[in-house]
Amino acid sequence: MPSHLSADRPAAQPPGRGSVEALISQTRRLKGEVDAVRRDAQGDGADPQGRWRRALYDLALHQLDDLDQHLAQLREGPPAPPAPDTDRDGDGRPGSVPAGDALLSRVGSAEWNLLTDEAVWSGELYEILGRDPAAPALTLDELPSLVLEEDRPRLTAMVTDCLVDARPIDGEFRVVRAGGEVRAVHMMGEPVLAPDGSAAAMWAVLRDVSALRRSRQAVGETRDALHRQDRAQTGHRVTVQPQGAALPPWRGSLRLPHRGPRSLDLAAHHLPATAGPPIGGDWYDVLELPDGQAVLSVGELTGHGPAVASGTAMLLGALRGMALAGTGPDRLMTLLNQVLDATAQPALGSAVCCRYRPEDHTLTWAQAGHPAPLLFRDGTGRRLTPPRGVLLGATAGAVYGQAEERLREGDVLLLHTDALVPAHGDTSAVHRLLGLAPHLTAARTAQDCSRLLVAEFGATTRTDDACVLVARVTS
C-alpha cells in the first residue's frame, strides 16, 4: 500500500499565473485572426452557404469569448460565494449559467421560403432533431410539433420577432426526439428580405447543445459545492451532496446503443447515507463505446469528505478515458490501481467493470475487491463467480483477472455497492437480493427493477452511500 503524503511526493499545484496568461494571450490572438477571416468572407447575404459560414464564424467567436472568460476566471481564482438566496431564479432553483457557449456540438442548417412554403434542411439537422432523412422537412408552422410543450412559446416568439421585426434569432429550446429523448438545441438565424422590405425567407443554424448543458450543470454543481464547503469551514452547518459531480449526467433510465436497435435497458439509483457523514465516494457509470459496445461500472472509495468525492470523480474520469481507448476490464483494473498508487493522497477503493458486446451477448468483467454482479434469469438468480482482484490501492503492481459470461434476452444484471443491504454480511446480502429474483425477472423494464430495489432497501438506515445499476438485455 502506498505511503502517506511525504516530502518526496508533494501535493499537485495549480497552474502558474504565467501559463494562464499565455493561454489568454493565445486565445485573444486567435479571436482576432478568426474575426479577420470572418470579415473577409462576408458577402451580400444572398448565398445560403455564405450565410451558413458566417453563422459558424460567429459561433466560433462566441466559443472563443467564452474560453477567454473561463481562463480569466482561472487567473482570478474561485469566485466569492454568493449572498444567501441571491443566486436563485424566481422558481427557487440556482441561478442560470451565463449565456455563451463553450462547446461546439453538431451543427445543422435550414432555410424556409415564406413565398412558396418550402423548407430545406441539411442532413445534420435531420440527425439532431431525430427525423427520418427521407421525410419532408418541416415548415415553420410544423416545427413546434417537435418542441417540448413548455418551450413552444419561446420558439414562436423568436420566429415572430424575426419575421415581423427582422430581429436575428439567438435562443434555445428543447426538442423531443423519437423514443422520447429530450435534447437541447441552440438556434441562430436571420430573415431574408424581399425588395419591398418584407420577409421572404428565413435561414437558421441549429446545433445540439445537450452535452454543453450537462457540462455547465456540472460546473454549477461543483461551484455550489465549493461555496458550501467554504461555509462549512467557517462554522456554518451545511448539508452537501457532491456525488452529483461523480455520477454521470443521466438519471433514471437509459437505453443503448443510441443508434440502431436497443440492446440494453438500463436504470440506476444513488441511495444517500441516512446517518453519518453525508459525503461519500460511491459511483455508477454507463459508457457507450464507438463500436456499439457498452461499459458498465460501479465502485467506491473508502472514507468521507470533499477529498474523497474529488478522488472519485478523478477515478471515474480515468476509467472512462481508458475504456474509450479500448482497454479491457482486467487491464482497466490494473491501471486504476496504478492511478490510486500514484496519487498524492493514498486511498483504497473497490470497483466492478463490465464490457458488454451486443452482437453475441457476451459480458466480459473484472473486479477489485467488490461485490460480484448478480444475474437473474427465468425467475432465479445467481452470483457470478468473481475473477481474482484485490482492492484498488492496496497492493502496488497487482494483477487482475477477467471472466466472461454469455447473457440472454430477458436477463437482468445487477451491479451494486456493498452498502445497498446495510448491516448484513456479504453472504446474507446476496441471499436477500437473490430472493427478489421472481420479481426482478418479471419486471417489464430496468427502471421497474430499480424501483423495486429502492422500495426494498431505500428506507433502511445506512451509514454509507450506496449505488445500484440494473441492466436488462432487450435483444
Side-chain angles (χ1 to χ4, degrees):
M1 183 173 176
S3 61
H4 289 279
L5 184 64
S6 59
D8 61 349
R9 186 181 284 180
Q13 298 297 315
R17 183 182 179 93
S19 60
V20 176
E21 289 284 1
L23 291 173
I24 292 175
S25 298
Q26 293 173 19
T27 301
R28 293 176 178 174
R29 183 168 59 252
L30 181 57
K31 282 168 55 180
E33 293 172 356
V34 172
D35 189 47
V37 174
R38 180 180 67 96
R39 289 196 301 269
D40 292 339
Q42 284 184 348
D44 58 5
D47 177 22
Q49 288 193 4
R51 295 196 297 269
W52 177 75
R53 291 192 187 96
R54 188 177 69 217
L56 284 181
Y57 281 128
D58 290 338
L59 286 174
L61 286 172
H62 285 317
Q63 313 308 314
L64 291 171
D65 284 336
D66 213 11
L67 176 60
D68 191 2
Q69 294 173 17
H70 291 324
L71 290 173
Q73 291 173 6
L74 281 175
R75 178 183 59 191
E76 301 301 331
D85 297 326
T86 60
D87 192 29
R88 306 183 77 85
D89 290 328
D91 57 2
R93 298 177 300 176
S96 20
V97 180
D101 294 328
L103 296 176
L104 184 62
S105 303
R106 293 177 299 170
V107 177
S109 60
E111 182 153 359
W112 291 274
N113 190 315
L114 304 179
L115 303 180
T116 63
D117 205 26
E118 293 177 334
V120 178
W121 287 8
S122 69
E124 292 83 0
L125 185 57
Y126 275 96
E127 184 177 358
I128 291 171
L129 300 182
R131 294 275 295 172
D132 182 357
L138 298 183
T139 65
L140 283 175
D141 291 333
E142 297 168 332
L143 185 62
S145 65
L146 300 180
V147 178
L148 203 65
E149 185 173 359
E150 60 192 84
D151 289 356
R152 290 175 187 173
R154 184 185 312 160
L155 174 63
T156 301
M158 289 193 299
V159 172
T160 301
D161 289 344
C162 179
L163 298 182
V164 175
D165 299 327
R167 295 181 185 175
I169 289 180
D170 188 353
E172 289 184 14
F173 51 88
R174 289 165 294 175
V175 298
V176 182
R177 292 162 52 95
E181 181 187 12
V182 177
R183 307 290 290 180
V185 174
H186 183 262
M187 183 179 191
M188 294 182 67
E190 292 179 357
V192 178
L193 301 180
D196 62 359
S198 63
M202 190 187 89
W203 65 269
V205 172
L206 298 91
R207 58 189 179 124
D208 185 340
V209 294
S210 304
L212 171 62
R213 294 298 157 254
R214 291 193 294 267
S215 297
R216 285 187 167 168
Q217 180 182 1
V219 170
E221 289 173 352
T222 53
R223 178 201 61 192
D224 293 342
L226 177 62
H227 294 161
R228 290 193 294 265
Q229 179 183 344
D230 290 341
R231 290 195 293 269
Q233 290 174 346
T234 58
H236 293 286
R237 186 175 182 270
V238 64
T239 300
V240 292
Q241 292 183 344
Q243 288 83 4
L247 297 180
W250 64 278
R251 294 291 188 272
S253 61
L254 181 71
R255 291 179 181 271
L256 293 181
H258 290 301
R259 298 181 183 179
R262 304 294 193 253
S263 59
L264 279 183
D265 177 22
L266 298 135
H269 197 85
H270 168 251
L271 295 168
T274 56
I279 308 177
D282 292 43
W283 89 80
Y284 65 82
D285 188 46
V286 175
L287 176 66
E288 182 182 3
L289 301 179
D291 59 4
Q293 298 187 48
V295 175
L296 288 62
S297 66
V298 166
E300 59 182 314
L301 285 186
T302 56
H304 299 85
V308 172
S310 176
T312 301
M314 176 272 295
L315 201 65
L316 182 55
L319 186 153
R320 292 173 68 90
M322 292 186 287
L324 282 171
T327 308
D330 54 348
R331 180 62 178 161
L332 228 165
M333 292 294 106
T334 300
L335 294 174
L336 289 180
N337 183 62
Q338 294 177 10
V339 168
L340 279 188
D341 186 54
T343 56
Q345 185 66 45
L348 289 174
S350 70
V352 59
C353 180
C354 306
R355 189 183 185 109
Y356 180 67
R357 188 169 60 240
E359 291 85 357
D360 55 6
H361 294 178
T362 299
L363 183 81
T364 306
W365 68 284
Q367 61 85 30
H370 197 85
L374 303 180
L375 178 60
F376 299 88
R377 175 184 296 164
D378 299 330
T380 63
R382 63 182 174 90
R383 176 176 177 263
L384 300 186
T385 303
R388 71 178 184 276
V390 299
L391 286 170
L392 299 173
T395 305
V399 177
Y400 295 82
Q402 185 168 280
E404 189 173 287
E405 188 76 25
R406 188 63 62 88
L407 304 183
R408 302 178 190 171
E409 184 176 346
D411 282 356
V412 174
L413 188 72
L414 172 62
L415 279 62
H416 66 93
T417 54
D418 55 11
L420 176 63
V421 189
H424 286 75
D426 181 63
T427 302
S428 176
V430 169
H431 285 326
R432 285 197 63 187
L433 290 167
L434 293 181
L436 299 174
H439 304 289
L440 292 173
T441 55
R444 294 177 59 254
T445 66
Q447 183 73 288
D448 289 341
C449 294
S450 175
R451 292 191 182 106
L452 175 65
L453 292 165
V454 172
E456 184 74 18
F457 304 111
T460 307
T461 300
R462 57 173 48 82
T463 58
D464 202 357
D465 299 341
C467 287
V468 59
L469 174 60
V470 179
R472 186 173 176 271
V473 182
T474 57
S475 64

